[in-house]
Amino acid sequence: METFDSFDPGTGQVLATYPQQGADEVRAAVVRAREAAGWWREQGFAGRRRHLRAWKGVLARRIHELADLVHQENGKPHADAILEAVLAIDHIEWAAKNAPTLLGPRRVPSGLLAANQAASVEYQPLGVVGVIGPWNYPVFTPMGSLAYALAAGNSVVFKPSEFTTGIGSWLAHAWQTAVPERPDVLAVVTGLGATGAALCRAGVDKVAFTGSAATGRKVMAACAENLIPVLMECGGKDAMIVDDDADLAAAADAAIWGGMGNAGQTCIGIERVYVTDQAYDEFVAELTTQVRRVRPGSDADASYGPITMPGQLDVISRHIADALESGGRVLTGGGIDGPYVQPTILTDVPESSAAVQEETFGPTITVTRVRDAEEALERTNASSYALAGSVFSGSKERGMDLARRMRSGMTSVNSVIAFAAVPALPFGGVGDSGFGRIHGEDGLKEFTRAKAITRQRFALPTPLLTFARKPTLTDQLAKVVGLVHGRT
Ligand code: NAD
């Protein structure tokens, strides 16, 4: 079988070699996961919660080992990796704890016409969920699908990104340690894009995809062949709006962290900042001062690490070059040294530039002066992407109003990315950023099918749903409906 290597992006050193699993191996993994799914379903909510908590416990006890691996394979600082793992652990707990109440059987009112029926709904697992993951948050991002699909009663076959296969395998090994009686409830298949494509055609009941919109289209096309439903968590070009009365020091801090944390390789990272004319000069001065303390590197004190995927360096340098050629200016940074990109702030970049239109996925932000917050919102909403975003405003009402009208799945007011730390909130995009939701109640339901049941409690003296219905009954019914619903 062909193999592939995983690298330390800081040094280029090979860390491990993995098999490129093909259609037969992937199908076999799905068959094993289906066998395990029966057992997993039988555990019920209480049993699953116990096993998920055991898994969470392994992650929590070995968090530094996991963070070391994330630092090695993805490149981000150890401290950021800890934060990522903590968020993921929180999501496992939330999903395990809340699945019974949110998904279990629940009575619903049966209404006047069916007053003799007891009506209930419950959310049943789909069976086997295929999860295809990216490399940028190799623990947190797939966990939004893994924990929620598992808590809902599905088994999972997970294809981690080829850039972070070691981390994906580590998560599956942790599962095997926690739940040794059924390791196949969470199985990992390894490989490049072809392995992901094979997973789409391997008989899974749903595919949860996180990655670029371009790959998302291919995944949807492959899944369409067998009418397999998909969840699409794709890229973003998130904007921050800075209003006249915003706390500009806080906004600058958030723009830098939101734009440059994880070397800008964050789907919900800030890539564009729109600042009102009144706030612009002071905001840019804050930004210029604060960005001085940010530095890439692989050492313990570095603010962010190398670019994980070597090919992304070409995209970042193309966007910087295009911004400059089209009239933009570099306020700070702009340089690339090996896999490290300097913290880069670009101003006066036309909206038509690639740096404003396309996902850059590097530690760069464009800062644009606008007339007012309405113009900022108009420009924010003009993107084909619509994942998340941020609003800084001194007024609670104004901040909430702008947040509501922002075309995106998530918005933070007076902070960045805060919604990702709230497990009860749904996470997902609009437009080219995808559809479907992970996290929260919506995220649990994403991996279920609603099952409706009625149970007749007693026979009606005048039944409607029978050929034995009295001929006058529908006329009487029409009169009643006219009285109840036809008055306005
Ligand atoms: P990518 O699209 O290159 O790859 C994602 C995954 O798809 C990988 O595991 C890859 O092997 C697999 N794949 C590639 N070709 C495939 C095919 N034909 N069929 C099936 N699977 C295939 O994305 P990436 O570079 O790993 O991740 C970065 C992207 O992910 C960015 O656009 C980022 O914004 C996005 N992202 C989105 C979210 C979100 O929640 N919305 C979270 C993290 C990252």
Side-chain angles (χ1 to χ4, degrees), residues 41 45 48 99 102-105 120-127 129 149 151-154 205 444-453:
R41 199 179 166 137
F45 287 115
R48 289 196 290 271
L102 298 174
L103 305 181
S120 68
V121 61
E122 61 192 61
Y123 294 85
Q124 299 182 346
L126 302 171
V129 173
N154 304 279
D205 299 289
L444 279 169
K445 288 188 177 160
E446 191 73 43
F447 298 104
T448 63
R449 61 174 71 92
K451 172 79 182 190
I453 301 177

Side-chain angles (χ1 to χ4, degrees), residues 118-180:
S120 68
V121 61
E122 61 192 61
Y123 294 85
Q124 299 182 346
L126 302 171
V128 183
V129 173
V131 174
I132 300 176
W135 46 265
N136 59 335
Y137 287 85
V139 180
F140 175 72
T141 296
M143 196 55 82
S145 297
L146 301 179
Y148 289 78
L150 289 168
N154 304 279
S155 59
V156 171
V157 177
F158 174 32
K159 205 301 269 177
S161 164
E162 52 272 42
F163 293 95
T164 50
T165 305
I167 298 160
S169 304
W170 191 98
L171 292 174
H173 287 143
W175 177 269
Q176 288 156 20
T177 308
V179 192

